[in-house]
Amino acid sequence: MANQQVDKGKTSVTGEAGEAGKVSARAPWGGARGRVLAVLAVVLAGVMAFHRGVPNAVGRVGSLLESFLPWVGVLVLLLFVAALVRRSAVALVAVLLPVGVWVHLFGGLLLPGAEGGGRELVVVQHNVSDENRDPAATARALIEAGADLVALEELVVPQLPVYERALAADYPHHVVRGTVGLWSKYPLSGERLVDIKPPGIAEGWSRGVRAVVDSPYGDIAVYVAHLPSVRVGAGGLASERRDESAELLGRAIAAESVDTVILLGDLNGAVEDRGLAPLTSRLNVAKRGFAFSFPASLPLARIDQVMARSATVGHIRTLPATGSDHLPVAARVTLG
């Protein structure tokens, strides 16, 4: 009986020592899984920091990543939670790296916009959708934003006359070319079509217009554009025509003789997407606000853009949903 009690005691001591050893071995570093989380954190940080290095040759993977780059932050958050669950010190420290990269890239967008100044215009950009069942209500919603300039895309008959009538009182000056148009509180001149049709698209495709706005702060060349759509499929991102159209638009803006330029449009791409480099390399983009505008039911990306030359785009924001599959976006443009 004594031997059995001694054996039980040994077993109990050994078991307790074994459990303590396991805790001791796991507590400082979180074990192998903690090291895996740390490696994943470093990989995510590298992907965000060097996203331009992701190849675009096959399936335009680089552009696809850049279209949703802010959402990599969700993966970083999941890694942080996993590191807490594993009680892994090394993983928690490693997660600080992608957090820092994300804040560097996108943290400024979370800051509030500056107070409005004297030399500024309020602009609204909206793809109204060629399937919009209530264009009159959409027009009324846009008027409530109190903008100086309103740019619209996917203007089709019979919707176009509805917009013209509804906006006439507040915006007595407007120009439409093809399916895009600009409405202004100030006089327009120099209206002309901007040819951004890429090769391979049939004749009659017209999605670019330019006009000079006689604003209280001087002449401003305003471009309204609707770049070709992109598709995500088994082969990756199909954005070749969008990229070609962006190149044509970039050349037109580069040749613009008026110093101050504002570009409003559905560009079918985020500003991080290298496919829009012909534009983002020449124009300033908004530094405050995410303003995800598409799809309206669950906005995942801002593909409706406001850009400017010799001017600053302030805080960009979305407006309430209309009858479109896009949300309208509004921004203040401060003139130099």
Side-chain angles (χ1 to χ4, degrees):
M1 180 67 70
N3 289 337
Q4 289 180 353
Q5 290 176 345
V6 170
D7 290 342
K8 288 181 180 179
K10 288 180 179 179
T11 302
S12 175
V13 170
T14 303
E16 290 175 1
E19 289 300 320
K22 289 180 182 178
V23 173
S24 175
R26 186 177 64 181
W29 305 111
R33 291 185 181 179
R35 290 191 290 274
V36 170
L37 293 175
V39 171
L40 290 175
V42 173
V43 170
L44 279 182
V47 168
M48 287 190 291
F50 304 105
H51 59 89
R52 293 294 187 196
V54 177
N56 223 17
V58 179
R60 279 177 159 71
V61 177
S63 283
L64 182 59
L65 167 67
E66 290 160 349
S67 297
F68 302 100
L69 195 60
W71 293 102
V72 176
V74 176
L75 300 179
V76 177
L77 179 61
L78 292 176
L79 279 181
F80 176 73
V81 172
L84 287 177
V85 171
R86 293 300 305 169
R87 300 178 182 178
S88 171
V90 68
L92 284 170
V93 171
V95 168
L96 294 178
L97 184 59
V99 168
V101 175
W102 192 94
V103 170
H104 173 72
L105 292 175
F106 304 110
L109 297 176
L110 297 172
L111 299 175
E115 292 292 331
R119 293 176 54 83
E120 67 177 20
L121 297 176
V122 178
V123 300
V124 165
Q125 148 60 30
H126 191 28
N127 179 326
V128 295
S129 176
D130 55 7
E131 297 180 354
N132 194 321
R133 296 183 178 182
D134 196 351
T138 296
R140 290 194 296 271
L142 298 177
I143 291 171
E144 290 178 2
D148 299 288
L149 304 174
V150 175
L152 304 180
E153 297 83 45
E154 293 200 11
L155 295 168
V156 294
V157 178
Q159 296 177 7
L160 175 56
V162 177
Y163 289 111
E164 290 177 325
R165 288 194 298 270
L167 296 171
D170 293 89
Y171 301 94
H173 313 281
H174 84 282
V175 56
V176 174
R177 293 290 186 274
T179 58
V180 301
L182 173 67
W183 275 258
S184 171
K185 289 185 175 181
Y186 309 114
L188 301 176
S189 62
E191 302 96 328
R192 61 176 172 81
L193 169 73
V194 179
D195 185 6
I196 58 172
K197 183 179 75 65
I201 293 183
E203 293 298 327
W205 188 95
S206 178
R207 292 187 178 184
V209 66
R210 174 261 194 194
V212 176
V213 177
D214 182 13
S215 82
Y217 317 111
D219 288 348
I220 305 170
V222 178
Y223 286 72
V224 180
H226 184 189
L227 301 189
S229 300
V230 300
R231 295 289 183 268
V232 179
L237 186 71
S239 63
E240 293 88 347
R241 288 180 174 175
R242 191 278 312 271
D243 297 350
E244 292 168 348
S245 190
E247 181 64 37
L248 293 171
L249 181 57
R251 292 177 189 172
I253 291 175
E256 174 59 57
S257 59
V258 178
D259 288 338
T260 305
V261 174
I262 297 175
L263 169 62
L264 306 167
D266 174 2
L267 304 185
N268 272 303
V271 294
E272 293 80 20
D273 187 341
R274 69 193 69 178
L276 298 186
L279 303 171
T280 54
S281 63
R282 295 181 170 106
L283 301 169
N284 299 318
V285 300
K287 299 299 184 182
R288 299 287 184 270
F290 282 98
F292 295 141
S293 63
F294 184 83
S297 57
L298 182 63
L300 296 174
R302 186 177 82 234
I303 63 175
D304 296 272
Q305 306 293 352
V306 178
M307 302 183 186
R309 184 178 78 189
S310 298
T312 302
V313 182
H315 186 272
I316 191 167
R317 60 190 176 91
T318 56
L319 300 177
T322 67
S324 172
D325 55 344
H326 291 241
L327 294 178
V329 299
R332 294 181 179 274
V333 179
T334 303
L335 307 173

